[in-house]
Amino acid sequence: MSRITHEKQGSPNAALPAAMDTLEEQEWLDGLAAAARKAVRALPLGRGRDALRGLWLGHPVHPVLVQVPIGAWTCAGILDLLPGESRAARRLVAVGLVSAGPAALAGWVDWAEQRPRQARVGLVHATANLAAVTAYAASLVYRIKGRPLLGRALGFGGMTLATVGGVLGGHLAYRQGAGMNHAEAVPVLVEPGWHRIGVPEDFPVGEPVRRMADEVAVVVVREYDGRFHALADRCNHMNGPLHEGKVLEGCLECPWHGSQFRLSDGANVQGPATAPQPRFDCRISPDGQVEVRLGRN
């Protein structure tokens, strides 16, 4: 009996990822992104900008804040399916609307430092969420006016739009890596023990120098007193080359987005990075070689 094989003509499971990839390529969105980015960066937020980024939390705070509006609106949708719960549902819709503001602001602050392909998806993500907020605002108005059926319909429409926004947000976070710690793999790539990276004369005082420790690029700074500091070279925010940055008051500033990491322990003192930068211990070996090994932050 002959064996017949059939080539797959394309998996239907790939349709949504393909659509997302197409969205990433829409260069016509770049002009809108540039204008929105300029507006977000001009907001007089002061130290509040790093708070909205999640510097105090160790990772972006936007995913935490969105739990309130999404949770409130989901509960409102459930109550809309039950008799006699219209008042509670109306209150939950209102809670979602009030809490959507801080969540959106945190998202915009994060978005303003993203790459072009991420920014394109982020714009559509924000548009879907804005449409959801608009639908829920209209839902609340009609509920108050005594038109509960229309209010419920608008509520379910808002839930659908918020779900679309959530799918786009998931693509941003997990497919495109927005908000992820890009230095998480450093401890896996560096073998335990000391690694030779040169002699002291290879490192001008006060200037970042790039070296390799196994598969990981390391940025090394020599101080005036002869001490050495070393951090993973690629910024955990978006892989910016720290060796091209500036040394400022005991910190190293990323040249791409301005994140600052303390040389002594890798702590991030200024965003948009929210995680500490992997740090390396440094020493001079008995035969005069500078050596580094992965330290603990």
Side-chain angles (χ1 to χ4, degrees):
M1 181 180 295
S2 64
R3 183 178 178 180
I4 301 175
T5 60
H6 300 275
E7 293 185 3
K8 292 184 178 180
Q9 298 300 315
S11 171
N13 295 331
L16 185 55
M20 294 292 187
D21 291 341
T22 300
L23 176 57
E24 291 181 23
E25 297 169 358
Q26 302 306 303
E27 296 182 2
W28 65 272
L29 291 169
D30 291 348
L32 296 174
R37 184 179 294 109
K38 182 178 180 180
V40 173
R41 289 178 175 174
L43 293 173
L45 298 175
R47 293 184 178 274
R49 190 175 298 273
D50 276 342
L52 287 166
R53 288 167 172 161
L55 186 65
W56 56 276
L57 185 62
H59 61 76
V61 73
H62 174 66
V64 178
L65 295 178
V66 299
Q67 302 305 308
V68 181
I70 294 300
W73 290 335
T74 300
C75 291
I78 294 173
L79 292 179
D80 277 339
L81 298 175
L82 303 175
E85 301 291 347
S86 59
R87 176 180 290 185
R90 183 171 67 245
R91 289 177 175 174
L92 284 168
V93 169
V95 168
L97 288 169
V98 172
S99 59
L105 182 58
W108 279 112
V109 168
D110 289 341
W111 172 87
E113 309 301 334
Q114 292 173 354
R115 298 188 181 101
R117 293 177 70 92
Q118 295 170 329
R120 295 164 193 162
V121 176
L123 275 180
V124 182
H125 166 70
T127 300
N129 289 337
L130 178 59
V133 169
T134 302
Y136 274 112
S139 172
L140 181 61
V141 169
Y142 282 110
R143 291 169 192 263
I144 293 173
K145 288 184 174 182
R147 300 181 63 181
L149 292 180
L150 182 55
R152 290 174 184 174
L154 286 166
F156 286 117
M159 184 180 296
T160 301
L161 291 166
T163 300
V164 172
V167 171
L168 291 164
H171 182 82
L172 267 169
Y174 301 114
R175 180 73 174 268
Q176 295 184 294
M180 306 293 284
N181 176 8
H182 291 273
E184 179 63 22
V186 168
V188 179
L189 298 175
V190 178
E191 291 292 331
W194 293 96
H195 305 269
R196 295 191 170 193
I197 57 173
V199 296
E201 291 73 23
D202 293 335
F203 303 93
V205 173
E207 296 184 17
V209 177
R210 184 179 184 270
R211 287 292 185 269
M212 295 298 296
D214 281 337
E215 299 180 40
V216 174
V218 178
V219 57
V220 182
V221 177
R222 179 185 180 187
E223 294 201 27
Y224 289 94
D225 60 5
R227 288 183 299 165
F228 286 82
H229 301 291
L231 304 175
D233 181 52
R234 288 295 176 176
C235 177
N236 67 67
H237 174 236
M238 282 196 178
N239 285 319
L242 292 180
H243 70 277
E244 296 180 9
K246 299 178 182 178
V247 178
L248 303 170
E249 300 181 354
C251 295
L252 188 55
E253 183 180 72
C254 178
W256 283 7
H257 302 102
S259 297
Q260 292 184 10
F261 304 98
R262 198 159 51 216
L263 286 166
S264 60
D265 59 5
N268 52 326
V269 299
Q270 176 177 298
T274 56
Q277 191 70 3
R279 180 188 65 84
F280 289 76
D281 298 323
C282 301
R283 75 176 184 183
I284 305 296
S285 68
D287 58 351
Q289 294 285 326
V290 180
E291 298 180 333
V292 298
R293 70 176 178 187
L294 187 65
R296 295 184 178 180
N297 286 85

